[in-house]
Amino acid sequence: MAVATNQYRNVCPVETMLPRIVAPAPPSAAAGGAAAAARADGREWNQFRRLHAQTGVVSQATGSAYLEVGATKVVCAIYGPRPSKKDEFHETGLLTCSLRFLPFAVGGAHRRDYTPQDDEKEASLIVHDALAVAVRLDRFPKSVVEVHVTVLEGSDTAAIAAAASCASLALLEAGIEMYDVVGCCAVSAVGDVLVVDPTAEEQRRQTGSVIAALLPELDQISQVVQTGRMAAGAVADALALALDGCRQVAAVLCAASEAKKL
């Protein structure tokens, strides 16, 4: 059957990838917590939504990527390296990051303002710090690499994690030299259970969350952000879950990058 296409919209993915599940038992978000109940979408507590990654979606950019994690949809465009507009000389290049949510990204009746919001500035810093240690900025003296991320659908921790992963794939597609690909994952504490890759409803009910970014081949953590109220043991368990999720996401990104080369 023929599939209708629209040049102004990204075609829905035909194939998606479900990362493997490796963790054996559900860790509790609080001491003596109950075992994990079935999630609303039928997933296990440590299971990702289906992932779809695609490169080359923005024709005018040096490199670009689109990442879809369930209902969370993110697109990233890379521009540069190009000469820095600053007058002073710097031996290493600069990495700038801008993350914006579309007004209708949250869904429902709520619409975001067109003007930049504080949460967008905070998310931009999180994505920047996750990527900065992975990019060989010493190769681009007095140059700047611009990362522009747009969240088409999604919010909060899951969207930020998807944005960092999508930006890493876009940098690969742009040919920017990197030490390693960056995988990013979010874990939320919902009730007494930690859940990987939370949905919007789970994020509304969460008492705390952890976002982690990892360079899997180097086994180096590039970013960890914890929010909300969580016990020390729960934070450690959530970080371990997030790092395992980072490795799974990184494998999907590498597969998408290799598929582009074929």
Side-chain angles (χ1 to χ4, degrees), residues 1-28:
M1 186 176 85
V3 179
T5 59
N6 187 327
Q7 61 175 328
Y8 299 108
R9 299 186 64 183
N10 192 49
V11 181
C12 294
V14 178
E15 297 181 358
T16 57
M17 183 177 297
L18 188 62
R20 58 194 176 87
I21 302 175
V22 296
S28 172

Side-chain angles (χ1 to χ4, degrees), residues 34-191:
R39 299 167 74 173
D41 55 6
R43 288 183 292 151
E44 298 293 332
W45 57 273
N46 59 343
Q47 188 176 8
F48 272 85
R49 292 170 291 177
R50 290 193 174 272
L51 275 71
H52 170 73
Q54 182 179 339
T55 57
V57 295
V58 181
S59 60
Q60 301 301 318
T62 309
S64 60
Y66 169 81
L67 182 63
E68 185 172 312
V69 188
T72 302
K73 302 175 179 65
V74 180
V75 64
C76 177
I78 307 295
Y79 298 93
R82 51 193 180 191
S84 174
K85 296 180 181 178
K86 296 185 177 181
D87 295 331
E88 68 271 15
F89 176 80
H90 41 86
E91 294 184 356
T92 61
L94 298 176
L95 181 71
T96 65
C97 181
S98 171
L99 185 147
R100 294 297 307 273
F101 290 89
L102 292 183
F104 50 83
V106 180
H110 176 71
R111 292 179 68 88
R112 296 180 62 93
D113 222 348
Y114 284 97
T115 57
Q117 304 295 307
D118 290 340
D119 60 340
E120 293 175 326
K121 297 176 182 178
E122 181 181 0
S124 299
L125 288 175
I126 294 174
V127 174
H128 173 274
D129 292 346
L131 300 173
V133 297
V135 181
R136 292 289 307 272
L137 294 174
D138 57 301
R139 299 290 191 182
F140 314 111
K142 204 175 181 182
S143 300
V144 60
V145 177
E146 300 177 1
V147 179
H148 296 274
V149 184
T150 302
V151 179
L152 307 177
E153 186 176 346
S155 62
D156 299 328
T157 53
I160 296 174
S165 300
C166 184
S168 176
L169 179 59
L171 287 167
L172 287 176
E173 208 264 336
I176 305 297
E177 190 169 347
M178 302 174 66
Y179 292 105
D180 196 1
V181 65
V182 178
C184 194
C185 176
V187 173
S188 289
V190 182

